[in-house]
Amino acid sequence: MAVQKIRENIYYVGAIDWDRRLFDQLIPLPHGTSYNSYLIEGSEKTVLIDAVYPKKWDDLLSNLKTLKVNKIDYIVSNHSEPDHSGSLPLLLEIYPEAQILTNSKCKELLINHLKIDENKITEVDSSTKISIGDKTLTFIIAPWVHWPDTMFTYIPEEKIIFTTDFMGSHLATSDLFVKNEWVVHEAAKRYYAEIMMPFRAHVKKYTEQLKGMDIEIIAASHGPLYDKPEFIIDAYTDWASDDVKGEVVIPYVSMYENTGKMVNYLADRLIEKGVKVTLFNLPETDLGELAVYLVDATTIVMGASMVLAGPHPAAVYAASIINALKPKAKFITSIGSFGWADKLGEKMHEQVKALMPAIKAESLTPVFIKGSPTENAYRKLDELADEIFSRHEDAMGKQQIAAG
Ligand code: FEO
């Protein structure tokens, strides 16, 4: 993206990656992404906040040339993942006098990943204050949103906080600030689900910390900036809370329609009871979309055909992703169809559960059947729908009581 002025002497100098469709060879990017860098011209010193993914180095360099930046005194590295640090070696070649400011863990990782000379790095911590003339750099060491090295940089005179990935969104847009709240809310929720949800306790802590600060702009390292901080702070408060929303998520894979029939029958019975239910046919599913629905899910029902003596590999893969994301669902079960061996069918739910040891949800009654579903199978699914409905009523009631 071309240079955009945020405020007097504070500029966006990052890059938009319109074309990128996969992150970490894992996370789908339906709307591309951006790598945000910020230039701050103090009355005495010039600072760059974070670098960009090396593939977009030319964009960053071009933006710095546009602003005629001849000298950078400090480069703040809030997080060492290469999408924000990968261009640091190139920056140091162009601006050899620059000192990198970062915390001790990030320093270790920058040296490890990028082989940066440790003499080029000055360590900071939460007590550090660095004057750049008319502005001051202060730091909040905020590990585990989402790496152990993450930190935020706050400029009190401007009431701007640079939060690296925290509260960001994978969204390629020319909007400097949030304009279409609905679009950004969806992208930020997907980002939260994929990147931040495994670290929910830390997310809650730092969200509370930001709530107590005097902030006018939140500038994350992906997606548009927030000039109404409460928009994203309120969203994060909701997503990271312990509350669930009475929703059922059913990821499933069906080889010969039998598991598919069971899944659709169960979904219909839940819908009749007024329960929100969302199905994800795994071989065709965008797993990022599944992650979004896991944010609010109360119950996860894994639908799986059997392959050989265990769950279909598509269910195994999805279970490994769900386990890594650690959603706050309170209940879990599984349903499906197997081909021939009753004894193997009886073990299917235990096998599915064993794939998700990090999910601390209570097990509801699984339903596994041989071949195509019979009336008896449908009655068992009726009972499961009743069980889910009644457990949700209990869970939501307790939430309401807890909320007073
Ligand atoms: Fe956007 Fe954790 O890097």
Side-chain angles (χ1 to χ4, degrees):
M1 181 153 68
V3 171
Q4 294 208 63
K5 185 173 176 178
I6 298 170
R7 282 192 174 160
E8 202 59 37
N9 297 321
I10 301 181
Y11 301 92
Y12 181 100
V13 292
I16 303 177
D17 202 337
W18 300 98
D19 300 330
R20 193 164 180 186
R21 286 293 172 267
L22 199 59
F23 204 91
D24 291 346
Q25 299 304 319
L26 174 67
I27 298 168
L29 300 179
H31 309 296
T33 192
S34 67
Y35 317 106
N36 299 348
S37 287
Y38 303 97
L39 189 83
I40 297 147
E41 292 180 330
S43 57
E44 293 174 10
K45 309 255 185 204
T46 298
V47 180
L48 185 75
I49 308 265
D50 288 324
V52 298
Y53 193 41
K55 182 182 146 195
K56 291 291 178 183
W57 160 246
D58 287 348
D59 291 34
L60 174 59
L61 186 60
S62 163
N63 289 340
L64 294 173
K65 282 183 179 166
T66 299
L67 289 170
K68 299 185 171 42
V69 178
N70 297 318
K71 184 180 179 214
I72 293 176
D73 298 283
Y74 300 120
I75 303 169
V76 174
S77 180
N78 280 326
H79 171 33
S80 63
E81 193 164 5
D83 51 329
H84 312 295
S85 70
S87 295
L88 287 175
L90 294 164
L91 270 169
L92 290 173
E93 282 180 26
I94 306 285
Y95 300 102
E97 68 287 349
Q99 270 290 306
I100 294 172
L101 304 178
T102 195
N103 62 81
S104 60
K105 187 65 187 177
C106 193
K107 175 182 175 180
E108 173 201 322
L109 295 180
L110 290 176
I111 292 169
N112 184 264
H113 287 258
L114 297 168
K115 312 300 176 229
I116 289 176
D117 178 352
E118 69 175 309
N119 295 317
K120 298 300 299 175
I121 303 176
T122 300
E123 273 187 45
V124 299
D125 60 30
S126 294
S127 66
T128 307
K129 291 186 193 323
I130 294 181
S131 173
I132 56 170
D134 56 346
K135 300 176 184 55
T136 313
L137 304 177
T138 68
F139 308 94
I140 296 172
I141 309 303
W144 296 113
V145 283
H146 62 131
W147 276 24
D149 66 340
T150 40
M151 72 176 195
F152 309 152
T153 301
Y154 179 62
I155 301 180
E157 295 86 353
E158 299 287 341
K159 300 178 183 175
I160 297 181
I161 189 160
F162 300 91
T163 56
T164 185
D165 289 334
F166 190 60
M167 298 188 170
S169 61
H170 282 312
L171 190 60
T173 171
S174 60
D175 293 344
L176 180 62
F177 292 104
V178 174
K179 283 192 180 151
N180 185 327
E181 288 194 347
W182 186 85
V183 169
V184 178
H185 190 275
E186 289 300 295
K189 188 171 186 181
R190 177 185 268 257
Y191 191 89
Y192 166 82
E194 294 165 336
I195 310 291
M196 297 293 160
M197 189 157 66
F199 308 98
R200 198 163 59 87
H202 300 277
V203 168
K204 282 166 85 166
K205 177 178 157 191
Y206 302 129
T207 302
E208 285 303 312
Q209 190 164 351
L210 262 58
K211 263 187 207 171
M213 293 175 65
D214 194 2
I215 295 171
E216 291 180 358
I217 294 174
I218 295 175
S221 56
H222 299 285
L225 288 69
Y226 303 97
D227 54 357
K228 296 185 185 111
E230 64 280 6
F231 164 73
I232 193 66
I233 287 175
D234 289 351
Y236 260 60
T237 301
D238 176 32
W239 300 333
S241 80
D242 295 333
D243 290 351
V244 287
K245 300 203 169 148
E247 299 181 12
V248 177
V249 169
I250 311 183
Y252 75 98
V253 52
S254 181
M255 292 165 65
Y256 290 109
E257 302 290 334
N258 296 322
T259 298
K261 282 180 191 162
M262 295 171 71
V263 162
N264 280 283
Y265 182 87
L266 177 66
D268 285 349
R269 299 295 78 73
L270 290 166
I271 292 166
E272 284 169 0
K273 293 173 185 297
V275 177
K276 177 168 178 174
V277 54
T278 310
L279 274 56
F280 295 91
N281 186 3
L282 289 170
E284 297 171 14
T285 285
D286 168 351
L287 288 173
E289 193 72 14
L290 170 61
V292 171
Y293 280 80
L294 290 172
V295 171
D296 296 323
T298 305
T299 296
I300 301 167
V301 180
M302 178 66 80
S305 300
M306 179 183 276
V307 170
L308 299 176
H312 189 289
V316 173
Y317 180 59
S320 76
I321 301 278
I322 294 169
N323 187 59
L325 295 176
K326 297 190 178 73
K328 60 190 171 190
K330 296 192 181 305
F331 308 106
I332 189 164
T333 191
S334 51
I335 63 176
S337 167
F338 55 90
W340 57 86
D342 293 330
K343 283 207 169 125
L344 292 176
E346 286 165 15
K347 292 180 182 165
M348 275 284 275
H349 181 60
E350 289 314 310
Q351 288 181 292
V352 170
K353 273 222 60 171
L355 296 167
M356 296 182 272
I359 308 299
K360 302 303 177 196
E362 182 184 341
S363 268
L364 302 182
T365 311
V367 181
F368 281 96
I369 59 151
K370 190 181 336 186
S372 60
T374 58
E375 276 308 306
N376 185 42
Y378 288 126
R379 295 300 75 78
K380 287 183 179 171
L381 291 168
D382 288 337
E383 288 167 15
L384 177 56
D386 290 343
E387 187 180 12
I388 291 171
F389 180 75
S390 123
R391 301 308 296 273
H392 280 204
E393 292 259 289
D394 290 347
M396 305 298 282
K398 280 180 192 155
Q399 269 179 205
Q400 282 178 354
I401 291 165

